[in-house]
Amino acid sequence: MKKLKAVIFDVDGTLANTERDGHLVAFNKTFTNFNLNWHWSNELYGELLRVTGGKERILHYIEKHQPEFELPEGEELSSWIAKMHADKTKCYTDIVATGATPLRTGVKRLIEEIRNANIRMAIATTTSPENVTSLISSTLPEGAEKWFEVIAAGNMVKTKKPAPDVYQLALEKMELSSSECIALEDSNNGLRSAQAAGITTVITDNEYTRGENFTNAALVLDSMGEPDQPVTVLAGETYGEEYLTVDLLEKVLQNS
Ligand code: XBP
Ligand code: MG
């Protein structure tokens, strides 16, 4: 029988609606700071999210949506994007520190349950480590960063999601095999990354990812839920549970 030893969390879109309420707002603020007349709407951002990573997303936007764009005098594209991205990270952490990105329904409860069950926790994310730290410190008790044994981030690996690198890094650092873990994700890119690392994945979707291909997920829910806020099951089996619990995660793993 497979035993659940660790839960690996994605961050953006899974722990909180950081894409809509954090990253998108920060990108637009940076465009203003850089005197650009660019503005990403919520709809356009939904499309741009298919490209993971902030720097990669800006480059894709220039190539696809601003073909006439000319770099400021004396600038080189990748270093200019890196400068913009550093500004965006500063904007993002400032926004998150105001409490604009609360945890999604059920996240805090599930984290507490996992801790009480002595199951290990890690993070596998595309975003920058300082963004993860700012989200944890604005939403969880002091010292909560240490609850996550590993924070594997996009800038620590060769290839970002949907490549498996960031999950493989988390597994390697925890010295666990993929069959001992569950990944919690919100997007097709995240699912493909965890799957390629061999990890059983539970999806909680959101407004940007609803309708994406989650065929290979073990379970697809609309949130992690609470006792008084039961989940809607979009695919898979919840074995009679009305919200995501450690028991349910264990059953999902055993049946995967
Ligand atoms: C998250 C992302 C990130 C953020 C921006 O993907 O794609 O790029 O949007 O973060 P996932 P940075 O949830 O699948 O990990 O700007 O720091 O790259
Ligand atoms: Mg995500």
Side-chain angles (χ1 to χ4, degrees), residues 12-246:
D12 294 310
T14 299
L15 295 185
N17 287 317
T18 45
E19 294 292 4
R20 184 193 63 200
D21 300 331
H23 292 293
L24 174 58
V25 185
F27 279 115
N28 282 326
K29 176 88 179 31
T30 290
F31 300 152
T32 307
N33 292 348
F34 277 66
N35 293 316
L36 295 160
N37 64 351
W38 302 350
H39 180 85
W40 291 357
S41 66
N42 198 34
E43 199 193 344
L44 172 62
Y45 195 61
E47 222 180 285
L48 296 174
L49 275 175
R50 281 187 219 127
V51 178
T52 56
K55 291 196 276 271
E56 294 80 354
R57 194 168 296 143
I58 295 170
L59 177 64
H60 168 84
Y61 173 74
I62 294 172
E63 288 172 350
K64 187 151 181 243
H65 298 268
Q66 299 287 348
E68 315 276 274
F69 173 68
E70 282 179 24
L71 270 173
E73 187 84 23
E75 293 283 1
E76 186 273 318
L77 186 59
S78 64
S79 60
W80 182 75
I81 290 179
K83 260 193 267 178
M84 272 183 79
H85 188 255
D87 185 81
K88 180 256 163 183
T89 299
K90 169 83 177 64
C91 294
Y92 177 87
T93 52
D94 287 350
I95 293 163
V96 166
T98 67
T101 55
L103 297 178
R104 290 184 64 189
T105 305
V107 171
K108 189 156 188 267
R109 172 195 53 76
L110 183 63
I111 287 175
E112 275 160 11
E113 258 193 52
I114 293 169
R115 277 169 50 75
N116 289 337
N118 286 321
I119 290 169
R120 298 160 68 186
M121 294 193 294
I123 278 173
T125 180
T126 303
T127 205
S128 320
E130 55 266 57
N131 292 351
V132 180
T133 310
S134 69
L135 182 68
I136 292 175
S137 54
S138 75
T139 55
L140 288 169
E142 213 182 313
E145 207 186 321
K146 297 212 175 66
W147 297 353
F148 300 90
E149 250 176 75
V150 180
I151 297 183
N155 64 0
M156 298 173 183
V157 293
K158 194 158 164 263
T159 318
K160 293 179 177 171
K161 296 178 190 177
D165 303 28
V166 81
Y167 277 100
Q168 283 165 343
L169 178 65
L171 291 177
E172 234 171 78
K173 289 210 172 170
M174 287 192 293
E175 297 183 6
L176 287 174
S177 83
S178 56
S179 62
E180 297 170 308
C181 303
I182 284 225
L184 298 181
E185 273 286 354
D186 70 305
S187 69
N188 170 270
N189 276 324
L191 170 63
R192 281 156 63 204
S193 173
Q195 283 268 296
I199 305 172
T200 299
T201 308
V202 172
I203 298 285
T204 48
D205 78 347
N206 58 51
E207 65 180 280
Y208 292 123
T209 64
R210 172 94 11 127
E212 286 188 351
N213 183 352
F214 294 131
T215 312
N216 292 324
L219 181 61
V220 185
L221 307 173
D222 67 336
S223 83
M224 295 185 192
E226 290 286 6
D228 59 350
Q229 290 174 74
V231 296
T232 298
V233 183
L234 301 165
E237 176 61 63
T238 53
Y239 309 95
E241 304 269 1
E242 296 198 329
Y243 55 96
L244 194 58
T245 60
V246 167

